[in-house]
Structures are given as structure tokens and as C-alpha cells.
Amino acid sequence: MRLLLIAALLALPFALPPVGTRAAEIEAPGPEGALRGTLAGPVGTDAPVVLMIPGSGTSDRDGNQLPHIRAATLRLLAEGLGARGIVTARVDKRGLSGSSEAASDPEAVTLADYADDARAWIKVLREKTGVSCVWILGHSEGGLVALKAATVDADGICGLLLAAAPGRPLGVLLREQFQQGLPEDNPLRQPTLDALETILVKLEAGQPADVSGVNPQLAAIFRPSVQPFLIDLLAHHPAKMIAQVTLPVLILQGTRDLQVTMNDAEVLAAACPDARLVRLEGVNHMFKPAPAEREGNLAAYADPDLPLADGVVAAVAETVLDGTDPTSPRSPVQ
């Protein structure tokens, strides 16, 4: 895993929106300036609303990390949900992309800060659309933000849509990802794994780690400026967080995800027995159809023209439409 003023709402034109839908820029208050995103979906105030939280690093509102990750997962999902009568708000993280004015240092952040930003968005979306509650969809690390927001204050949240969200602590995932990503015959494999272990042990203990002289990839991922955030993130246990959630929950996971595995999804589901777990065969971390072979799997990360895998939009839409139905036994608005 590689590695939120009273709101002013701007209705700006958006290129060629589908007939019967709207798309506009929207703002929410951030710590130093405006958080920004795109509100899109069917015209009308009775449609359910989904707030989309992007993943780790510099992921933007579309789910991209340019120049390498261009799958546009969140944009494609928003388009698919809009066609099914669901409004979406996909947003940029504080200090990045359209939300660059919200924080001067995007790395000086905690999971609680991102959860505060999600709360700010929920308030604005409820006021803007008139809905009583908003669904939160978190992709990858965004799933942890969704869990944090719901466990701190569930008011105004319809439910959680966890898309490729970690089920185990970040340290476990990072160790696993490096072990799987480094070939056995790579002479740098063991020195890199040894250095990774040294770094993670320090960060998990809440202490800064010295990354001078280590593998350049490690030095970049664990640079001193981002270590306070990683220390905070490493201290969170997703299964313990989801166990506190009493809202409707969808756990959406692809079987060919190289970053978050079915094991993570099953750990989350075991900790939240009422959650709906949807297993997507042959689907990667970007929710695109992908081969098991690593190089081909990663190639899908850079292809915005490759559609989302079958079942992705349907699983999210069915959960939202059922959970927002006042006659549903698990509906938060009954």
C-alpha cells in the first residue's frame, strides 16, 4: 500500500453530463481553506448520496495517482451509480489537487483529520441535497477513513461501503506486500525485508525510524515527513474499528488484488457479522478485471478505458438502494 468558514457551494458547468443528471463543483470547509470535489448524479432531492473517499498517497477524486495510476476507478463508479439513480460526491484530499488550499502540508495529517473532513462533507451534502444521511464509500486507505468517521460519530451516515479496505493492521499488509513484490532471486530482497522490519518495528512503537542508507524505495515510502502519519495509521486495527459499527456495511473485495487480499475482507466480515461481503472473482485493487500475473495486473492500473469489472457497480448500488429504503429492516432512515 503506497502509500479535510461556512461552505460556499459553486455550481460550475461540467463537460457533457448525461441527460437527466447533474455534475457540479462543490466545496466543504477545510482546516485552512476549501475542500473541493465533484457532485454528480440524477436531478432531484430524493436520491441517495454516496461520499467517495480516495485511497492512500496522492490519490485524487477520480481514484488516480498520476502519472502511473490512471484507472479512474472512482469516476467510473460514480458514472455507473449515477445511471442507477444515485448521487455521488467524489472529493480531493486536504492539501492535494483541488483541495490544495485546505492544508499547506498534506503530509501533516492523521486518520482523525481525514475523518473530520468526511464529517465536513457529510454536513454540506445533507444541506445541499436534503437527504437525512450520506453513505461513505472508502477505497483502500479511504476505507479506514470511513471506519474512523463512523466510529467517532455515526450521525448522518447511512452506512459504509468498504472497497478493498484493509482488514489487518497496516504493518501486516506492508510486510506481506514487500515479501510478495520482491522476487526470491533478487539479491536485494533480504536486505530490503530486513530494513523494512527495522523501520516498521520503530514506527509501530510510536518512534521515528532512520531511513538513511536504506533502499531508495523504502526511503521514499518511509520518508521522515510522512512518518508521523504512518505512526498514527499503524496504530489502528480495522477489525476492531468495524466491530464498533452498527450501520449497514458492504465489504467489496477482488480476488486478484495485489495490495489488499480476500483475507482482509474475511477478517472485516468476521468482526462485523451483519456486513455484506461481496467477492469479485478475477478483479484487482482498481476493481478492473485483471490477470493473476503481476505485470498484467498492474497494467490495468494505468488504463482508464478499461471498464470496471462486472458486479462492482451493481453491488454498491444494490446496497445503497436497499439500505436507504425505509421498509428495509436495516435502513438507517426508518
Side-chain angles (χ1 to χ4, degrees):
M1 185 183 305
R2 291 160 64 180
L3 329 163
L4 214 109
L5 330 189
I6 294 177
L9 304 176
L10 305 180
L12 301 178
F14 188 79
L16 298 177
V19 175
T21 67
R22 63 184 173 196
E25 286 291 302
I26 189 171
E27 292 186 2
E32 299 175 24
L35 296 160
R36 295 189 174 90
T38 300
L39 182 68
V43 175
T45 59
D46 58 347
V49 179
V50 175
L51 169 64
M52 295 184 167
I53 308 294
S56 62
T58 58
S59 296
D60 64 18
R61 70 182 74 178
D62 290 341
N64 294 333
Q65 287 190 50
L66 301 178
H68 302 297
I69 299 179
R70 294 176 287 133
T73 297
L74 297 183
R75 176 179 62 78
L76 293 173
L77 182 54
E79 291 172 356
L81 294 177
R84 292 175 179 250
I86 297 169
V87 172
T88 59
R90 57 186 199 274
V91 301
D92 289 325
K93 298 159 69 174
R94 62 163 67 185
L96 297 170
S97 304
S99 296
S100 60
E101 297 172 5
S104 55
D105 183 358
E107 293 184 340
V109 69
T110 64
L111 198 61
D113 291 332
Y114 283 145
D116 287 344
D117 292 349
R119 300 296 322 175
W121 278 117
I122 289 168
K123 184 176 185 295
V124 167
L125 291 169
R126 292 174 71 184
E127 293 171 350
K128 178 72 172 176
T129 66
V131 297
S132 61
C133 63
V134 174
W135 292 82
I136 306 182
L137 183 146
H139 178 231
S140 193
E141 182 185 284
L144 299 182
V145 178
L147 286 169
K148 187 73 171 181
T151 53
V152 171
D153 181 4
D155 182 54
I157 302 176
C158 302
L160 305 182
L161 309 162
L162 306 179
R168 297 165 293 164
L170 177 61
V172 175
L173 267 69
L174 288 173
R175 290 176 173 93
E176 187 175 273
Q177 288 172 13
F178 271 88
Q179 289 169 355
Q180 294 177 352
L182 290 168
E184 294 282 353
D185 59 355
N186 186 332
L188 296 178
R189 174 184 167 84
Q190 197 56 51
T192 299
L193 293 178
D194 291 343
L196 173 69
E197 185 62 24
T198 300
I199 292 169
L200 287 176
V201 167
K202 294 288 284 187
L203 297 179
E204 288 169 335
Q207 302 171 5
D210 181 9
V211 295
S212 59
V214 303
N215 180 304
Q217 183 183 16
L218 287 179
I221 293 173
F222 298 101
R223 59 195 180 277
S225 61
V226 80
Q227 287 189 20
F229 174 60
L230 292 176
I231 288 171
D232 175 68
L233 209 57
L234 285 160
H236 286 82
H237 197 305
K240 293 180 179 179
M241 295 167 75
I242 199 173
Q244 303 174 51
V245 175
T246 57
L247 301 166
V249 177
L250 169 68
I251 301 168
L252 193 63
Q253 183 62 47
T255 62
R256 289 182 178 166
D257 191 327
L258 300 176
Q259 295 168 253
V260 178
T261 70
M262 280 305 306
N263 187 10
D264 289 280
E266 290 162 358
V267 167
L268 289 175
C272 185
D274 288 337
R276 178 189 179 198
L277 172 59
V278 174
R279 175 189 179 103
L280 298 165
E281 296 291 341
V283 175
N284 72 2
H285 193 64
M286 295 291 109
F287 289 95
K288 304 287 184 88
E293 176 266 321
R294 187 177 183 85
E295 185 175 347
N297 189 307
L298 292 174
Y301 284 52
D303 189 354
D305 296 324
L306 181 64
L308 295 177
D310 292 342
V312 175
V313 174
V316 175
E318 289 166 6
T319 301
V320 169
L321 294 174
D322 175 65
T324 312
D325 178 358
T327 65
S328 171
R330 296 214 54 199
S331 172
V333 297
Q334 58 182 323

